[in-house]
Amino acid sequence: MNTADLGLPVDVPSTALFTDQYELTMLQAALKAGTAERRSVFEVFTRRLPDGRRYGVVAGTGRVLDAVENFRFDAGVLGFLRERGIVDEPTLEWLASYRFSGDIWGYPEGEVYFPGSPVMRVEGSFAECVLLETVILSILNHDSAIAAAASRMSSAAGDRPLIEMGARRTHELSAVAASRAAYVGGFASTSDLAAGFRYNIPTVGTSAHAFTLLHDSERDAFQAQVNSLGRNTTLLVDTYDVASAVRTAVEVAGPELGAVRIDSGDLLLVAHRVRQQLDELGARDTKIIVTSDLDEYAIASLAAAPVDAYGVGTQLVTGSGHPTCSMVYKLVARAESADPKAPLVPVAKKSSGGKTSIGGRKWAARRLDEDGIAAAEVVGTGAVPAELADRQLLVELVKGGDVVAREPLDAVRDRHTAARDGLPLSATQLSRGEPVLPTEYVHGRSGSQ
């Protein structure tokens, strides 16, 4: 079943108002000036990675494709714009028939990126491309930030699975997107049922402290849970005294007990004590799951602990301190007229303070060293050097307004694992440092592509 096609409550009927007002006022002015139909190229990139990060992760591409398809100005939306006087009637008439008919290229979802990487390129008339700026950035900035944090956490966790548990720490719809991005970044499951329903991500969950507190004794609570969910369930053992709870848990469920969860205290110390106690009680196959405000650093610190899985919430859904990637959407080339055959002219903002841009329609490729490990991110305009022709990163996502690159989320997740594995070993270091790959620029003629 393709749950993405079901039209679930976490979706919206139109994404047209997920935009800033100045996109529409620019459209109105361009229509009046006769420049709205000029062929244009916009690119999404970031000038820098969040402080201390070695690489970024492209996530949200599939959601961008959905948003572009749903970018429609229906009667209700047009009525709102008319009532507020946001744009004039000729502009409303133009919007009424809006359908993106251009092309979108981008890094495939799950791929890694670096400063200057053209992670998405949107081509079409100025009018149809400019309207998509806010919604594209909203999705990519959020999802890529979560996926980057998830990637660092999954790298720190090694072979131990990670559970996404952050729904209660963010907006209800952001939680669904965060679950998806976390799965791309290497998480194995989510506690959020909406994410499971929408994206077919495995879901997990058993009980909270409230369930234990509800009952007259911890034994009663454990017995009720085992009676309902079976001996393979996970029992929460830190409501009162951990050692007493572990003993009771094994007495109730037997050595077949699936797992115990620890949600507080010195996790390193407690995990060792619990493992020893479980083994002494004969529950050698019972797993230990730890939660409690984990981030990639806490996970790494538990590498030597007898922990079998981690549950992560707040730090994940807030990007582990970096909730955005600071991606921007900039016009880099435009035609001199509305003539479809008019050549593209590179354009770029000239600015101080680190906000300069490089004009021209760009390609990107990843240079490898003699061992097949990534050595540099090469970004250029004009012809692609022959030695990089088979290392190009951008793929076609939308052609003539039609989505051409939808793919299963598991394929995206596998791509990220492969992309991260192809980076130098220092990419997974948690210590602060520069991007693991330098970005090299190759300037050529932009031509009339």
Side-chain angles (χ1 to χ4, degrees):
M1 179 178 66
N2 184 0
T3 55
D5 295 333
L6 295 180
L8 305 177
V10 293
D11 287 332
V12 293
S14 170
T15 54
L17 292 184
F18 289 175
T19 190
D20 292 305
Q21 181 168 314
Y22 78 171
E23 316 290 7
L24 300 187
T25 54
M26 282 192 288
L27 169 65
Q28 177 176 303
L31 288 171
K32 287 187 176 181
T35 53
E37 296 305 318
R38 288 187 175 185
R39 189 160 64 105
S40 299
V41 179
F42 287 82
E43 289 176 351
V44 177
F45 62 94
T46 186
R47 297 182 176 95
R48 65 192 65 84
L49 297 180
D51 187 34
R53 297 290 169 89
R54 304 297 180 93
Y55 60 92
V57 180
V58 178
T61 306
R63 297 207 308 120
V64 167
L65 300 180
D66 292 340
V68 171
E69 282 193 331
N70 290 329
F71 207 90
R72 304 283 188 266
F73 293 83
D74 58 25
V77 170
L78 294 170
F80 165 78
L81 297 176
R82 180 178 291 109
E83 178 184 345
R84 294 290 182 94
I86 292 173
V87 290
D88 60 18
E89 283 299 323
T91 304
L92 290 172
E93 292 177 10
W94 189 93
L95 292 172
S97 59
Y98 177 85
R99 299 290 186 276
F100 180 74
S101 63
D103 302 328
I104 299 178
W105 290 70
Y107 279 39
E109 190 166 13
E111 184 57 85
V112 296
Y113 71 88
F114 300 89
S117 296
V119 298
M120 187 166 287
R121 190 175 72 217
V122 183
E123 305 183 36
S125 71
F126 175 85
E128 63 181 340
C129 293
V130 75
L131 295 181
L132 299 177
E133 174 181 5
T134 303
V135 70
I136 287 177
L137 288 179
S138 176
I139 294 171
L140 293 181
N141 268 314
H142 174 269
D143 290 24
S144 297
I146 306 304
S151 178
R152 285 161 60 86
M153 292 174 187
S154 66
S155 177
D159 295 332
R160 299 171 178 176
L162 290 157
I163 307 164
E164 186 278 310
M165 304 170 64
R168 63 190 60 197
R169 299 292 188 244
T170 188
H171 184 281
E172 64 271 19
L173 297 187
S174 295
V176 181
S179 293
R180 182 186 184 280
Y183 193 69
V184 169
F187 273 58
S189 57
T190 179
S191 66
D192 190 339
L193 290 177
F197 190 49
R198 177 69 175 85
Y199 296 115
N200 204 27
I201 299 170
T203 59
V204 296
T206 51
S207 67
H209 293 103
F211 185 77
T212 300
L213 296 170
L214 168 68
H215 291 82
D216 295 333
S217 70
E218 197 166 46
R219 180 179 296 273
D220 289 345
F222 289 172
Q223 190 65 64
Q225 184 174 327
V226 169
N227 290 345
S228 175
L229 301 179
R231 297 178 184 274
N232 196 44
T233 190
T234 299
L235 296 177
L236 182 59
V237 295
D238 72 326
T239 305
Y240 304 118
D241 178 76
V242 173
S244 175
V246 170
R247 183 170 56 253
T248 301
V250 176
E251 289 174 356
V252 169
E256 300 87 5
L257 174 61
V260 295
R261 178 163 74 95
I262 307 167
D263 189 50
S264 60
D266 183 337
L267 297 179
L268 179 62
L269 176 62
V270 175
H272 277 286
R273 288 178 174 174
V274 168
R275 181 72 272 159
Q276 181 179 356
Q277 186 179 13
L278 287 170
D279 291 347
E280 290 173 350
L281 293 171
R284 295 183 176 277
D285 294 328
T286 299
K287 293 179 169 53
I288 297 175
I289 300 171
V290 296
T291 52
S292 186
D293 291 328
L294 299 177
D295 62 10
E296 60 266 46
Y297 301 100
I299 292 169
S301 73
L302 292 168
V307 171
D308 297 285
Y310 306 92
V312 189
T314 303
Q315 292 301 317
L316 175 67
V317 299
T318 57
S320 196
H322 297 289
T324 181
C325 302
S326 299
M327 290 181 181
V328 294
Y329 184 96
K330 296 297 181 182
L331 180 67
V332 296
R334 52 88 175 166
E336 295 178 326
S337 71
D339 185 344
K341 297 181 180 180
L344 291 173
V345 178
V347 295
K349 172 184 177 181
K350 292 183 179 180
S351 176
S352 59
K355 297 188 76 172
T356 56
S357 301
I358 298 174
R361 181 179 184 270
K362 300 177 193 67
W363 49 265
R366 191 159 295 149
R367 179 181 293 126
L368 307 182
D369 64 17
E370 60 274 12
D371 297 318
I373 301 300
E377 192 87 339
V378 186
V379 177
T381 57
V384 181
E387 67 272 16
L388 295 175
D390 61 349
R391 299 298 309 167
Q392 293 189 71
L393 292 164
L394 278 77
V395 299
E396 196 166 27
L397 303 171
V398 176
K399 182 175 183 179
D402 296 325
V403 174
V404 296
R406 279 205 172 86
E407 56 187 343
L409 200 55
D410 282 334
V412 174
R413 190 168 183 266
D414 291 344
R415 177 183 295 118
H416 174 63
T417 300
R420 188 179 62 191
D421 289 347
L423 296 176
L425 286 175
S426 58
T428 57
Q429 291 180 343
L430 297 181
S431 57
R432 293 186 179 276
E434 296 299 313
V436 71
L437 295 187
T439 302
E440 300 175 358
Y441 291 96
V442 178
H443 299 289
R445 295 185 62 187
S446 293
S448 58
Q449 298 129 309

